[in-house]
Amino acid sequence: MSYLMNTYARQPVAFVRGEGVWLWDEAGNKYLDALAGVAVNGLGHAHPKLTQAICEQVNNLIHTSNIYGVLRQEQLAERLCALSGMDKVFFCNSGCEANEAAIKLARLYGHHKGIATPTIIVMEKAFHGRTMATLTATGSRKVQAGFEPLLTGFARVPYNDVEAVRQVAEHNHDVVAVLVEPIQGEGGIKIPDADYLHALRQICDDKGWLLMLDEVQSGIGRTGTWFGFQHTDVVPDVMTLAKGLGSGVPVGACVARGAAADVFQPGNHGSTFGGNPLACTAGLATLQVLEEDQLLGNATQIGGQIVEGFKQSLAGVAGIKQIRGVGMMIGIELDRPCGELVKLALAQRLLINVTADNVIRLVPPLVMREAEAQHLIAGLSPIIREFLGRASG
Ligand SMILES: *Cc1c(COP(=O)(O)O)cnc(C)c1O
């Protein structure tokens, strides 16, 4: 019996050591990690530059609180703004908290404009977290069921549907913001049309709404650019980050630009741990290594090879609907539920994930090399082929 609350359907394995894209369990078995702690360990495991920076910081200072200046926080904020073209940062500890900050920011922005019941447009199949506001914003009944009453102040439209947003714009005069993932992660690695964000940006500009991008999964090099929106000509008003930012040390950020950057004033929002010296050192070291080791380019190159490799090895296999990806954010969509594949892959010492019931999600460490990508393709393809053959036969 376990003393842990029963919140997770865990796989029957625990890891004790990692290096690069590899993990070792208690018995000494070695696994290829194509999940990276759910898009967190971009630098892989135990990256020497990251561990050194963290160790030095721990020896010096871990936490002092936001009652005082935090030098590392100033440095990480400056770096994130330089990389994104944004202006100001609020630090927290997770993705849902980053989105909570964005939702509060949008509501306050609305109240400043005299809108008493501000509304945020959110998307079907979106995932924004599991706090009350973020599970309300999330477009999944599974996440919400049992936690009613949900919050008010959200209007939901289909993802990748600009016309639906225009419809809401015509009828709802309380809208203050659009919250959207540049690529839906939990929703099944859904890549919108190339002009989607651009069209949303135009509507937001016309209406005076904030364009708020949830880059918790797509940010920090995951798609081969620093942030997912950098594949377009769009710059958001608000962007949220977490997952890859601290390489496993909990840190989240709500990044804002222009008028949105000055909405919060003392007393409006805060976090005890948010942006402490340890978390920000992990963030700074992560960004530095991504740059020094040219991992954005690597994510583009190896991610492309993974997509192409699976397209070749699964060509003509009945049951494969689509193989798609941007950088190291990759989905293989099947025509049927395939959660069972996680266990089958684990038995072959491959760590993968299935999301939205029928999409194999691959979000490997950005340090993955060609030989390791080939190992993944060669190992996983026969498992998928056998699963599809068996399930249909
Ligand atoms: C994981 C995720 C979140 C939630 O992050 P937590 O750190 O688990 O709270 C929010 N948005 C997106 C897009 C995510 O992928």
Side-chain angles (χ1 to χ4, degrees):
M1 139 161 186
S2 169
Y3 286 96
L4 298 172
M5 283 197 195
N6 196 22
T7 44
Y8 305 102
R10 296 178 196 268
Q11 295 302 315
V13 63
F15 301 107
V16 293
R17 186 167 72 84
E19 194 183 318
V21 300
W22 302 99
L23 282 169
W24 284 264
D25 69 13
E26 296 159 291
N29 299 308
K30 184 182 176 186
Y31 299 75
L32 180 69
D33 184 4
L35 185 57
V38 196
V40 167
N41 305 106
L43 307 187
H45 301 282
H47 192 291
K49 288 182 196 166
L50 176 77
T51 54
Q52 193 194 337
I54 290 173
C55 288
E56 280 172 11
Q57 186 60 49
V58 168
N59 276 321
N60 200 25
L61 265 185
I62 294 176
H63 179 86
T64 54
S65 94
N66 287 306
I67 289 173
Y68 311 105
V70 181
L71 297 177
R72 285 275 184 261
Q73 211 178 104
E74 306 271 357
Q75 292 165 356
L76 181 56
E78 183 178 356
R79 197 79 192 96
L80 286 173
C81 289
L83 294 173
S84 64
M86 309 286 281
D87 293 330
K88 287 186 182 175
V89 185
F90 170 82
F91 286 107
C92 51
N93 315 285
S94 66
C96 61
E97 281 178 74
N99 287 326
E100 281 279 341
I103 291 164
K104 283 182 67 177
L105 190 157
R107 285 185 166 200
L108 194 55
Y109 172 80
H111 280 278
H112 287 166
K113 291 204 298 184
I115 298 173
T117 53
T119 294
I120 299 170
I121 295 180
V122 291
M123 306 302 157
E124 289 175 7
K125 305 278 163 61
F127 185 81
H128 298 299
R130 290 173 178 278
T131 60
M132 280 311 307
T134 58
L135 77 81
T136 302
T138 290
S140 154
R141 273 309 292 160
K142 232 162 71 182
V143 170
Q144 298 173 340
F147 301 107
E148 298 81 3
L150 303 181
L151 273 65
T152 55
F154 293 92
R156 194 172 307 283
V157 298
Y159 189 62
N160 196 26
D161 185 341
V162 177
E163 204 39 53
V165 176
R166 285 207 187 96
Q167 290 285 317
V168 177
E170 262 180 45
H171 300 110
N172 189 329
H173 301 290
D174 284 341
V175 175
V176 293
V178 177
L179 174 61
V180 59
E181 296 156 87
I183 297 172
Q184 284 190 333
E186 306 299 306
I189 313 290
K190 294 259 171 59
I191 304 166
D193 296 341
D195 60 355
Y196 180 54
L197 290 186
H198 183 86
L200 291 181
R201 176 75 272 176
Q202 277 190 323
I203 298 173
C204 287
D205 286 344
D206 286 349
K207 294 282 171 187
W209 302 346
L210 302 177
L211 178 61
M212 309 204 296
L213 298 183
D214 181 344
E215 294 252 16
V216 169
Q217 192 160 159
S218 56
I220 314 295
R222 176 55 50 195
T223 70
T225 51
W226 285 108
F227 310 103
F229 74 79
Q230 290 172 332
H231 293 280
T232 73
D233 63 356
V234 166
V235 184
D237 300 294
V238 175
M239 162 176 79
T240 55
L241 299 170
K243 292 204 164 87
L245 180 55
S247 295
V249 178
V251 55
C254 175
V255 187
R257 183 174 68 92
D262 296 319
V263 169
F264 282 144
Q265 295 302 318
N268 289 143
H269 200 47
S271 164
T272 298
F273 291 139
N276 80 18
L278 172 60
C280 290
T281 295
L284 280 162
T286 298
L287 298 179
Q288 191 180 333
V289 174
L290 285 172
E291 191 160 43
E292 281 175 8
D293 294 7
Q294 299 179 356
L295 294 179
L296 271 55
N298 193 66
T300 302
Q301 190 191 333
I302 302 297
Q305 288 175 7
I306 292 172
V307 169
E308 282 314 306
F310 277 110
K311 277 184 179 167
Q312 277 175 28
S313 69
L314 297 173
V317 175
I320 301 286
K321 278 185 79 175
Q322 195 185 31
I323 301 171
R324 55 181 177 258
V326 184
M328 290 280 205
M329 200 166 170
I330 297 161
I332 303 174
E333 182 174 347
L334 307 191
D335 67 353
R336 68 203 71 173
C338 61
E340 197 188 323
L341 278 171
V342 172
K343 263 199 170 52
L344 296 171
L346 182 70
Q348 302 299 316
R349 315 246 156 93
L350 298 171
L351 306 181
I352 63 157
N353 176 247
V354 167
T355 189
D357 289 336
N358 66 332
V359 181
I360 301 164
R361 174 169 49 172
L362 304 173
V363 281
L366 308 183
V367 297
M368 184 173 268
R369 298 296 168 199
E370 187 169 349
E372 296 156 343
Q374 293 310 322
H375 180 100
L376 172 64
I377 297 160
L380 188 57
S381 296
I383 300 172
I384 298 171
R385 247 184 266 124
E386 208 215 318
F387 168 80
L388 287 171
R390 181 157 47 83
S392 65

